[in-house]
Short mmCIF file of all heavy atoms in Angstrom, two decimals:
data_model
loop_
_atom_site.label_atom_id
_atom_site.label_comp_id
_atom_site.label_asym_id
_atom_site.label_seq_id
_atom_site.Cartn_x
_atom_site.Cartn_y
_atom_site.Cartn_z
N PHE A 1144 -50.76 6.41 -11.92
CA PHE A 1144 -49.31 6.32 -11.72
C PHE A 1144 -49.00 4.98 -10.86
O PHE A 1144 -49.73 4.67 -9.86
CB PHE A 1144 -48.64 7.35 -11.06
CG PHE A 1144 -48.68 8.54 -11.95
CD1 PHE A 1144 -48.53 9.77 -11.30
CD2 PHE A 1144 -48.73 8.53 -13.29
CE1 PHE A 1144 -48.37 10.97 -12.13
CE2 PHE A 1144 -48.59 9.68 -13.95
CZ PHE A 1144 -48.53 10.90 -13.50
N LYS A 1145 -48.03 4.23 -11.14
CA LYS A 1145 -47.56 3.09 -10.37
C LYS A 1145 -46.79 3.83 -9.05
O LYS A 1145 -46.26 4.83 -9.14
CB LYS A 1145 -46.54 2.28 -11.10
CG LYS A 1145 -47.27 1.63 -12.31
CD LYS A 1145 -46.36 0.92 -13.09
CE LYS A 1145 -47.02 0.32 -14.41
NZ LYS A 1145 -46.21 -0.27 -15.30
N PRO A 1146 -46.91 3.15 -7.94
CA PRO A 1146 -46.39 3.68 -6.68
C PRO A 1146 -44.92 3.74 -6.60
O PRO A 1146 -44.46 4.52 -5.69
CB PRO A 1146 -47.02 2.94 -5.59
CG PRO A 1146 -47.28 1.54 -6.27
CD PRO A 1146 -47.54 1.80 -7.70
N GLY A 1147 -44.17 3.06 -7.25
CA GLY A 1147 -42.60 2.74 -7.13
C GLY A 1147 -41.80 4.04 -6.93
O GLY A 1147 -41.11 4.26 -5.99
N ALA A 1148 -42.01 4.93 -7.86
CA ALA A 1148 -41.16 6.23 -7.81
C ALA A 1148 -41.58 7.03 -6.57
O ALA A 1148 -40.61 7.70 -5.88
CB ALA A 1148 -41.47 7.06 -9.13
N PHE A 1149 -42.83 6.97 -6.03
CA PHE A 1149 -43.05 7.73 -4.92
C PHE A 1149 -42.73 7.24 -3.65
O PHE A 1149 -42.22 7.82 -2.76
CB PHE A 1149 -44.73 7.92 -4.97
CG PHE A 1149 -45.07 8.59 -6.24
CD1 PHE A 1149 -45.76 7.80 -7.19
CD2 PHE A 1149 -44.95 9.92 -6.45
CE1 PHE A 1149 -46.18 8.48 -8.31
CE2 PHE A 1149 -45.39 10.54 -7.59
CZ PHE A 1149 -45.95 9.77 -8.59
N GLN A 1150 -42.60 5.81 -3.71
CA GLN A 1150 -42.13 5.02 -2.64
C GLN A 1150 -40.70 5.37 -2.38
O GLN A 1150 -40.15 5.61 -1.33
CB GLN A 1150 -42.35 3.64 -2.64
CG GLN A 1150 -43.82 3.08 -2.58
CD GLN A 1150 -43.96 1.72 -3.11
OE1 GLN A 1150 -43.18 1.05 -3.74
NE2 GLN A 1150 -45.16 1.16 -2.56
N ILE A 1151 -39.88 5.32 -3.61
CA ILE A 1151 -38.44 5.58 -3.41
C ILE A 1151 -38.18 7.00 -2.98
O ILE A 1151 -37.39 7.28 -2.15
CB ILE A 1151 -37.82 5.33 -4.80
CG1 ILE A 1151 -37.90 3.89 -5.05
CG2 ILE A 1151 -36.45 5.79 -4.87
CD1 ILE A 1151 -37.51 3.45 -6.50
N ALA A 1152 -38.98 7.93 -3.59
CA ALA A 1152 -38.75 9.33 -3.14
C ALA A 1152 -39.03 9.54 -1.67
O ALA A 1152 -38.20 10.28 -0.97
CB ALA A 1152 -39.70 10.28 -3.79
N LYS A 1153 -39.95 8.86 -1.03
CA LYS A 1153 -40.17 9.01 0.34
C LYS A 1153 -39.04 8.38 1.22
O LYS A 1153 -38.64 8.93 2.17
CB LYS A 1153 -41.68 8.45 0.71
CG LYS A 1153 -42.72 9.35 0.22
CD LYS A 1153 -44.09 8.83 0.64
CE LYS A 1153 -44.40 8.97 2.08
NZ LYS A 1153 -44.51 10.37 2.47
N GLN A 1154 -38.69 7.10 0.80
CA GLN A 1154 -37.68 6.50 1.48
C GLN A 1154 -36.32 7.22 1.60
O GLN A 1154 -35.67 7.23 2.49
CB GLN A 1154 -37.43 5.10 0.96
CG GLN A 1154 -38.55 4.11 1.21
CD GLN A 1154 -38.20 2.64 0.52
OE1 GLN A 1154 -37.48 2.61 -0.51
NE2 GLN A 1154 -38.85 1.66 1.02
N LEU A 1155 -36.01 7.84 0.32
CA LEU A 1155 -34.68 8.53 0.26
C LEU A 1155 -34.86 9.96 0.61
O LEU A 1155 -33.76 10.67 0.55
CB LEU A 1155 -34.17 8.34 -1.10
CG LEU A 1155 -33.88 6.83 -1.64
CD1 LEU A 1155 -33.43 6.77 -3.07
CD2 LEU A 1155 -32.79 6.22 -0.57
N HIS A 1156 -35.98 10.47 0.83
CA HIS A 1156 -36.26 11.92 1.15
C HIS A 1156 -35.57 12.82 0.13
O HIS A 1156 -34.75 13.53 0.35
CB HIS A 1156 -35.69 12.26 2.54
CG HIS A 1156 -36.19 11.31 3.64
ND1 HIS A 1156 -37.42 11.44 4.10
CD2 HIS A 1156 -35.56 10.22 4.28
CE1 HIS A 1156 -37.67 10.60 5.13
NE2 HIS A 1156 -36.56 9.91 5.15
N VAL A 1157 -36.10 12.55 -1.13
CA VAL A 1157 -35.67 13.30 -2.24
C VAL A 1157 -36.99 14.09 -2.90
O VAL A 1157 -38.13 13.51 -2.79
CB VAL A 1157 -34.95 12.60 -3.36
CG1 VAL A 1157 -33.67 12.02 -2.84
CG2 VAL A 1157 -35.89 11.48 -3.90
N PRO A 1158 -36.73 15.18 -3.55
CA PRO A 1158 -37.88 15.83 -4.22
C PRO A 1158 -38.26 15.03 -5.36
O PRO A 1158 -37.40 14.24 -6.00
CB PRO A 1158 -37.29 17.20 -4.58
CG PRO A 1158 -35.86 17.01 -4.69
CD PRO A 1158 -35.48 15.96 -3.69
N ILE A 1159 -39.50 15.31 -5.97
CA ILE A 1159 -39.96 14.70 -7.19
C ILE A 1159 -40.09 15.93 -8.17
O ILE A 1159 -40.68 16.96 -7.80
CB ILE A 1159 -41.39 14.09 -7.04
CG1 ILE A 1159 -41.26 12.86 -6.06
CG2 ILE A 1159 -42.01 13.69 -8.38
CD1 ILE A 1159 -42.49 12.24 -5.64
N ILE A 1160 -39.59 15.62 -9.41
CA ILE A 1160 -39.66 16.61 -10.56
C ILE A 1160 -40.66 16.05 -11.56
O ILE A 1160 -40.34 15.12 -12.29
CB ILE A 1160 -38.37 16.92 -11.04
CG1 ILE A 1160 -37.43 17.43 -9.96
CG2 ILE A 1160 -38.48 17.91 -12.23
CD1 ILE A 1160 -36.02 17.67 -10.37
N PRO A 1161 -41.94 16.47 -11.55
CA PRO A 1161 -42.85 16.15 -12.60
C PRO A 1161 -42.46 16.57 -13.97
O PRO A 1161 -41.99 17.71 -14.20
CB PRO A 1161 -44.17 16.73 -12.10
CG PRO A 1161 -43.99 17.16 -10.78
CD PRO A 1161 -42.53 17.40 -10.53
N VAL A 1162 -42.64 15.67 -14.86
CA VAL A 1162 -42.21 16.16 -16.36
C VAL A 1162 -43.49 15.64 -17.25
O VAL A 1162 -43.91 14.54 -17.02
CB VAL A 1162 -40.92 15.16 -16.68
CG1 VAL A 1162 -40.63 15.47 -18.22
CG2 VAL A 1162 -39.85 15.69 -15.85
N THR A 1163 -43.94 16.48 -18.00
CA THR A 1163 -45.05 16.42 -18.96
C THR A 1163 -44.32 16.26 -20.35
O THR A 1163 -43.75 17.14 -20.84
CB THR A 1163 -45.91 17.54 -18.91
OG1 THR A 1163 -46.51 17.58 -17.64
CG2 THR A 1163 -47.26 17.21 -19.87
N PHE A 1164 -44.67 15.06 -21.10
CA PHE A 1164 -44.33 14.98 -22.43
C PHE A 1164 -45.67 15.07 -23.21
O PHE A 1164 -46.48 14.20 -23.12
CB PHE A 1164 -43.74 13.51 -22.71
CG PHE A 1164 -42.46 13.42 -22.06
CD1 PHE A 1164 -42.31 12.77 -20.77
CD2 PHE A 1164 -41.30 13.72 -22.68
CE1 PHE A 1164 -41.07 12.56 -20.18
CE2 PHE A 1164 -39.98 13.58 -22.00
CZ PHE A 1164 -39.98 12.89 -20.75
N VAL A 1165 -45.76 16.16 -23.90
CA VAL A 1165 -47.02 16.59 -24.51
C VAL A 1165 -47.39 15.66 -25.63
O VAL A 1165 -48.58 15.42 -25.84
CB VAL A 1165 -47.02 18.11 -24.76
CG1 VAL A 1165 -48.25 18.56 -25.52
CG2 VAL A 1165 -46.75 18.97 -23.48
N ASN A 1166 -46.44 15.52 -26.52
CA ASN A 1166 -46.83 14.84 -27.72
C ASN A 1166 -46.07 13.52 -27.98
O ASN A 1166 -46.11 12.98 -29.21
CB ASN A 1166 -46.56 15.73 -28.98
CG ASN A 1166 -45.17 16.22 -29.09
OD1 ASN A 1166 -44.45 16.19 -28.12
ND2 ASN A 1166 -44.71 16.51 -30.26
N ASN A 1167 -45.46 12.88 -26.95
CA ASN A 1167 -44.79 11.62 -27.23
C ASN A 1167 -45.72 10.51 -27.77
O ASN A 1167 -45.36 9.63 -28.48
CB ASN A 1167 -44.14 11.20 -25.97
CG ASN A 1167 -42.80 11.83 -25.81
OD1 ASN A 1167 -42.34 12.79 -26.59
ND2 ASN A 1167 -41.94 11.34 -24.87
N PHE A 1168 -46.93 10.61 -27.35
CA PHE A 1168 -47.91 9.56 -27.79
C PHE A 1168 -48.09 9.54 -29.26
O PHE A 1168 -48.33 8.44 -29.91
CB PHE A 1168 -49.28 9.77 -27.08
CG PHE A 1168 -50.03 10.91 -27.66
CD1 PHE A 1168 -51.07 10.64 -28.58
CD2 PHE A 1168 -49.85 12.13 -27.28
CE1 PHE A 1168 -51.67 11.71 -29.24
CE2 PHE A 1168 -50.53 13.27 -27.74
CZ PHE A 1168 -51.45 12.99 -28.77
N SER A 1169 -47.83 10.58 -29.94
CA SER A 1169 -47.91 10.73 -31.43
C SER A 1169 -46.65 10.38 -32.08
O SER A 1169 -46.53 10.22 -33.31
CB SER A 1169 -48.47 12.03 -31.80
OG SER A 1169 -47.58 13.05 -31.58
N LEU A 1170 -45.56 10.46 -31.35
CA LEU A 1170 -44.22 10.26 -31.91
C LEU A 1170 -43.79 8.76 -31.85
O LEU A 1170 -42.93 8.20 -32.71
CB LEU A 1170 -43.11 11.11 -31.29
CG LEU A 1170 -43.34 12.67 -31.56
CD1 LEU A 1170 -42.26 13.34 -30.60
CD2 LEU A 1170 -43.37 12.95 -32.86
N PHE A 1171 -44.18 8.09 -30.86
CA PHE A 1171 -43.75 6.64 -30.61
C PHE A 1171 -44.94 5.69 -30.77
O PHE A 1171 -46.08 6.14 -30.66
CB PHE A 1171 -43.27 6.56 -29.16
CG PHE A 1171 -42.07 7.30 -28.88
CD1 PHE A 1171 -42.17 8.58 -28.21
CD2 PHE A 1171 -40.90 6.98 -29.31
CE1 PHE A 1171 -41.06 9.40 -27.96
CE2 PHE A 1171 -39.72 7.82 -29.11
CZ PHE A 1171 -39.87 8.99 -28.44
N SER A 1172 -44.70 4.50 -30.93
CA SER A 1172 -45.66 3.39 -31.01
C SER A 1172 -45.32 2.26 -30.21
O SER A 1172 -44.06 2.17 -29.82
CB SER A 1172 -45.88 3.07 -32.47
OG SER A 1172 -44.67 2.49 -33.08
N ASP A 1173 -46.04 1.34 -30.09
CA ASP A 1173 -45.74 0.02 -29.33
C ASP A 1173 -44.61 -0.62 -30.07
O ASP A 1173 -44.66 -0.90 -31.21
CB ASP A 1173 -47.03 -0.67 -29.25
CG ASP A 1173 -46.90 -1.83 -28.31
OD1 ASP A 1173 -45.76 -2.43 -28.17
OD2 ASP A 1173 -47.82 -2.12 -27.53
N PRO A 1174 -43.68 -0.97 -29.25
CA PRO A 1174 -42.47 -1.72 -29.87
C PRO A 1174 -42.91 -2.99 -30.58
O PRO A 1174 -42.16 -3.59 -31.38
CB PRO A 1174 -41.56 -1.92 -28.85
CG PRO A 1174 -42.13 -1.35 -27.60
CD PRO A 1174 -43.34 -0.79 -27.99
#
């Protein structure tokens, strides 16, 4: 992961909600 979201969560003191997209890799392609 890139650190940006975690830096923002720490700075703003907000929770993180992990989200797993199980099959998006097969639904989308490189634009």
Side-chain angles (χ1 to χ4, degrees):
F1144 294 156
K1145 297 174 185 173
F1149 304 102
Q1150 291 170 338
I1151 292 169
K1153 287 183 77 59
Q1154 284 177 342
L1155 298 178
H1156 305 286
V1157 295
I1159 292 174
I1160 301 175
V1162 178
T1163 303
F1164 294 93
V1165 174
N1166 62 334
N1167 275 10
F1168 74 98
S1169 65
L1170 298 175
F1171 298 100
S1172 61
D1173 192 320

